[in-house]
Structure formats: C-alpha cells, structure tokens
Amino acid sequence: IYYATGGSFWKNNDNWLVISQSSDYGCSWYGVFCSNDGVVTGLGLMNNNLVGTLPNEIMELKSLEILALHENSLSGDIVQVSKLQGLQFFYLHNNKFSRSIPTWIGMMPKLQELTLSGNFFTGSVPEEIYNQCIYLRVLWLHNNKLTGSISRNIGNLIRMTEMYFDNNALTGILPETIGQLTRLKHLSTENNKFLG
C-alpha cells in the first residue's frame, strides 16, 4: 500500500521503510495495529494524503478487523476485500472512489460499520448489503451519485442505529420496512428524488 498510494508523500509514514528482523515486523509502522502475537488486525491511515488505487495485497491481511482509509484521495474501484472474513469496520468515506458499490460487500459476515459517503459511487445499493450484512449498525452512503430505490429488504438490518442516504438521486418510496429497525436513531434521506 505504501508504494501504490504515494507513501513518500503521506503526512505520516513513520517506520514504513525501516527494515527490522523482529517478529513484530510491521507492527511499529504508523497506522498499523497488531494483536499481542504480532498479527495485523487494523490499518488506520485516514486523513494521511493517500493517493491512487488500493493494491490487491490488502487481501493478504486475513486477520484484519478494521480498515480505515477515509479522508484521502483514493480512487478507482474498491479492491475486493471480501476474503477478509473478520472485517468489522470498513471506512472509506471522503475519497474519490467511483463506479458501483460492489456486491461482494455482502460476503463479509461480521461487518458492523460501513462508510462509503463522499465519493462518486453510481448505480443502486446492492441487495447483498440488505440481505447478508445482518450485523451492520452504521451505513453511510450520503453524498454520492446513487440511483434506484431503497429495497424493502432494508428491514433485515435489525441492528442498524444510523443510516445516511442524503444527497444522492434515489427514487421511489421509502419502504415501510424501515419501521422494523427499532434500534435506528439517525436516518437521513433528504435531497433525493423520493416520491411522497
């Protein structure tokens, strides 16, 4: 990720090019978080001037629970991280990602928080998010270019506490199944093209 996203120009790249023979190699790098036994469990490089596209090598971090790359200038497609079956917190808001939101997001069964707002995503919200991300509590999709309607299957997300859809081009009617989300505290849908 260092070379793919302009690491020499990051705001903070402490220790990323330091060669070490110790067993916790990489755990001393800025933004890398490890378990007690030296396994990488988190990558937090938010607001750090990352530019470019995400490399496929991220998929090798199979114990990753947190991937926080928000508030950078990352673009292109989101690299498929569905192999990261333990990923719980996935933060990509305020970047320059485009195209459609990938359906493989539904293949991450432990996902609790997903923030994709402030990008250039188009198309509809994948049904896989509503049907398979049953532990999802936070969903930020605002400030994109999303179209289509919100599926009635949104009612499956019974753990949801906050959802933001505002400032897109979503259409149709808000499904009554939103009423099933009894833990929901924050819902924003303004500045779309909803009926009624």
Side-chain angles (χ1 to χ4, degrees):
I1 191 171
Y2 181 89
Y3 294 106
T5 62
S8 59
F9 297 102
W10 291 357
K11 291 180 182 178
N12 190 331
N13 58 11
D14 288 355
N15 296 327
W16 272 76
L17 294 183
V18 174
I19 304 298
S20 173
Q21 301 300 321
S22 68
S23 59
D24 66 345
Y25 179 59
C27 296
S28 63
W29 300 354
Y30 173 78
V32 176
F33 305 95
C34 296
S35 63
N36 290 335
D37 53 355
V39 176
V40 176
T41 58
L43 192 58
L45 294 171
M46 53 281 193
N47 192 23
N48 202 37
N49 201 36
L50 276 68
V51 178
T53 58
L54 291 178
N56 290 327
E57 287 76 12
I58 283 183
M59 290 187 292
E60 301 305 315
L61 301 174
K62 299 191 187 306
S63 297
L64 211 61
E65 298 174 0
I66 303 171
L67 183 55
L69 302 174
H70 49 288
E71 297 176 9
N72 284 294
S73 294
L74 297 169
S75 57
D77 288 328
I78 305 175
V79 62
Q80 183 169 344
V81 294
S82 59
K83 291 183 179 178
L84 306 180
Q85 293 292 293
L87 195 65
Q88 299 174 40
F89 305 96
F90 194 15
Y91 304 129
L92 293 181
H93 56 279
N94 297 340
N95 275 287
K96 298 179 180 179
F97 291 108
S98 57
R99 301 182 186 163
S100 57
I101 296 173
T103 58
W104 53 254
I105 286 179
M107 298 168 61
M108 295 187 289
K110 296 184 179 179
L111 198 60
Q112 296 181 36
E113 298 187 7
L114 175 64
T115 64
L116 302 178
S117 56
N119 283 285
F120 300 97
F121 289 113
T122 58
S124 58
V125 181
E127 282 288 324
E128 288 80 359
I129 290 179
Y130 302 127
N131 292 330
Q132 296 168 239
C133 295
I134 59 173
Y135 293 103
L136 206 58
R137 299 178 311 189
V138 172
L139 181 61
W140 291 5
L141 297 178
H142 53 288
N143 298 333
N144 279 292
K145 298 181 179 182
L146 297 174
T147 55
S149 59
I150 295 177
S151 169
R152 66 183 318 278
N153 290 329
I154 197 172
N156 294 333
L157 303 177
I158 59 174
R159 293 173 174 83
M160 188 64 65
T161 60
E162 61 180 77
M163 242 180 335
Y164 297 97
F165 293 100
D166 43 303
N167 299 316
N168 281 290
L170 297 168
T171 56
I173 299 172
L174 289 178
E176 73 285 355
T177 50
I178 287 179
Q180 297 170 202
L181 308 181
T182 57
R183 300 183 188 181
L184 191 62
K185 296 179 180 178
H186 302 284
L187 172 65
S188 183
T189 61
E190 52 266 6
N191 295 326
N192 279 289
K193 298 179 180 179
F194 292 120
L195 300 173

